[in-house]
């Protein structure tokens, strides 16, 4: 016999079904939300909700579709709502609509899960603190089901999923950890939400060694790993560029490292030095969307 997950956990019914059906419904809901925003400047939840049982698996990544029952829960499809959300809005209204939509979603368990697992840019310290605080508010409800994530043939607890996604970031913000992932997340969110730029720089620098160790395809690992180089380059970032990585989110910082790595080149120093050093070519390109290979999940099996 199965029971409802946590205290009455419900997700939009449009996220349950076959992959094709779920995509159609998410697309339609994105269009409805756009029209609603045009008329009311606000958003309302989908009309049909469905209870989530403790024996059900939530597919959180397209790469885990092979674990999905048909029909089943496919929260990863929710990201496709952004294809339609804002379509037909004036360009001047899109940022306002996106911000209002995020605020609306963070007031729900399903929205907090989405913005926690697949946070869109910008991943600033302030914004990620809000997103992760929302995940903490719904933690008990979301502990019930299990989660499938690319590309492994097992499902995971909420704690294991968060540890995989944010373990390095949490350690950067709160070295030494805490008794549980939930407590570690809570402490990190508190620090992140009040951090100065200097504190954010320190967190970003603490996460870099772990990322450099996990990704073997950097061409200039020694140069990238130099703390003096890291500090100089972080200080040189514009406020807008720095904001994008200030949370020490793994993907955002990895993208920055790849950007630096692509533009590092050996430059001959004064002959008396007898060796080469690394310089960074100027670049105006951003790296927040840089693709990153995900390391293996370490966590509890269900």
């Amino acid at each position: 016999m199965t029971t409802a997950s946590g205290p009455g956990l419900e997700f939009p019914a449009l996220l349950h079904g076959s992959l094709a059906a779920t995509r159609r419904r998410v697309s339609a809901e994105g269009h409805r939300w756009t029209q609603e925003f045009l008329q009311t400047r606000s958003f309302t939840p989908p009309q049909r909700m469905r209870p989530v049982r403790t024996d059900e698996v939530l597919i959180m990544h397209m790469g885990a579709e092979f674990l999905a029952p048909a029909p089943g829960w496919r929260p990863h499809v929710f990201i496709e709502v952004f294809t339609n959300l804002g379509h037909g809005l004036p360009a001047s209204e899109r940022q306002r609509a996106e911000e209002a939509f995020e605020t609306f979603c963070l007031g729900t368990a399903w929205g907090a899960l989405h913005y926690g697992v697949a946070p869109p840019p910008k991943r600033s310290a302030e914004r990620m603190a809000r997103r992760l605080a929302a995940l903490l508010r719904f933690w008990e409800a979301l502990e019930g089901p299990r989660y499938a994530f690319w590309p492994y043939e097992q499902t995971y607890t909420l704690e294991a999923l968060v540890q995989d996604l944010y373990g390095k970031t949490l350690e950067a913000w709160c070295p030494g950890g805490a008794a549980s992932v939930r407590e570690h997340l809570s402490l990190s969110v508190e620090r992140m939400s009040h951090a100065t730029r200097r504190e954010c720089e320190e967190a970003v620098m603490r996460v870099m060694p772990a990322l450099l160790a996990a990704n073997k395809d950097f061409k200039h690992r020694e140069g990238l790993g130099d703390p003096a180089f890291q500090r100089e380059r972080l200080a040189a970032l514009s406020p807008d560029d720095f904001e994008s990585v200030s949370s020490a989110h793994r993907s955002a910082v990895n993208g920055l490292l790849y950007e630096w790595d692509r533009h590092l080149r050996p430059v001959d120093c004064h002959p008396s030095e007898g060796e080469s050093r690394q310089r960074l070519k100027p670049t105006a390109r951003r790296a927040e969307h840089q693709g990153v290979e995900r390391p293996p999940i370490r966590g509890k099996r269900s």
Side-chain angles (χ1 to χ4, degrees):
M1 181 178 179
T2 58
T3 60
S5 174
L9 179 64
E10 291 186 332
F11 273 27
L14 59 89
L15 296 176
H16 189 277
S18 69
L19 180 59
T22 303
R23 281 177 161 168
R24 286 195 301 270
R25 291 196 293 263
V26 166
S27 177
E29 193 69 11
H31 179 73
R32 182 190 74 81
W33 272 322
T34 298
Q35 297 306 309
E36 184 176 42
F37 182 79
L38 283 170
Q39 296 172 14
T40 69
R41 292 297 186 268
S42 63
F43 300 96
T44 57
Q47 292 185 351
R48 292 186 60 241
M49 303 295 287
R50 180 185 177 107
V52 180
R53 303 192 311 268
T54 56
D55 65 335
E56 291 186 295
V57 176
L58 278 62
I59 308 300
M60 303 306 301
H61 192 285
M62 183 65 184
E65 268 291 324
F66 66 94
L67 289 173
W73 284 109
R74 291 176 163 83
H76 74 87
V77 178
F78 186 74
I79 197 170
E80 297 182 16
V81 78
F82 295 98
T83 302
N84 288 285
L85 185 67
H87 182 71
L89 286 177
S92 60
E93 293 283 346
R94 287 174 188 168
Q95 182 177 352
R96 178 182 174 185
E98 289 175 0
E99 292 175 354
F101 187 69
E102 178 168 336
T103 299
F104 155 68
C105 287
L106 292 181
T108 70
W110 47 272
L113 181 66
H114 170 74
Y115 280 94
V117 172
K122 293 182 175 178
R123 302 182 185 100
S124 68
E126 180 181 3
R127 181 165 292 188
M128 288 306 302
R130 287 200 304 269
R131 292 165 173 172
L132 296 175
L135 189 64
L136 284 166
R137 285 196 299 273
F138 295 102
W139 188 275
E140 291 182 3
L142 292 169
E143 277 187 311
R146 292 297 179 264
Y147 302 88
F149 207 76
W150 174 83
Y152 304 98
E153 296 183 10
Q154 64 251 12
T155 58
Y156 294 86
T157 63
L158 177 65
E159 182 176 78
L161 182 63
V162 171
Q163 177 62 29
D164 175 65
L165 294 172
Y166 290 102
K168 293 179 176 63
T169 298
L170 302 186
E171 187 63 23
W173 281 102
C174 190
S180 69
V181 173
R182 183 180 182 179
E183 291 174 359
H184 202 181
L185 181 61
S186 181
L187 290 171
S188 299
V189 165
E190 178 64 23
R191 294 184 181 183
M192 201 182 296
S193 62
H194 298 100
T196 63
R197 172 157 177 159
R198 179 63 181 272
E199 290 167 334
C200 292
E201 287 179 359
E202 295 298 326
V204 171
M205 290 182 63
R206 281 193 290 268
V207 84
M208 282 183 172
L211 299 178
L212 287 168
N215 294 279
K216 304 301 183 184
D217 52 347
F218 287 116
K219 297 177 180 178
H220 307 95
R221 187 178 305 277
E222 184 176 353
L224 292 172
D226 180 4
F229 169 82
Q230 294 171 359
R231 194 177 301 279
E232 178 185 358
R233 299 317 306 170
L234 287 172
L237 291 176
S238 69
D240 190 57
D241 285 345
F242 181 75
E243 183 183 18
S244 298
V245 300
S246 62
S247 66
H249 185 277
R250 183 175 69 189
S251 294
V253 178
N254 233 339
L256 182 64
L257 287 170
Y258 274 105
E259 180 75 0
W260 290 350
D261 191 51
R262 282 199 300 271
H263 299 284
L264 277 169
R265 59 183 176 85
V267 178
D268 291 335
C269 296
H270 190 277
S272 63
E273 296 181 54
E275 58 183 6
S276 297
R277 54 182 174 152
Q278 304 288 349
R279 289 289 188 189
L280 185 66
K281 288 181 180 179
T283 178
R285 290 183 295 180
R286 301 279 299 281
E288 191 164 356
H289 296 285
Q290 170 71 39
V292 176
E293 182 179 353
R294 183 176 296 281
I297 293 180
R298 302 287 196 275
K300 300 178 183 177
R301 292 191 179 189
S302 60

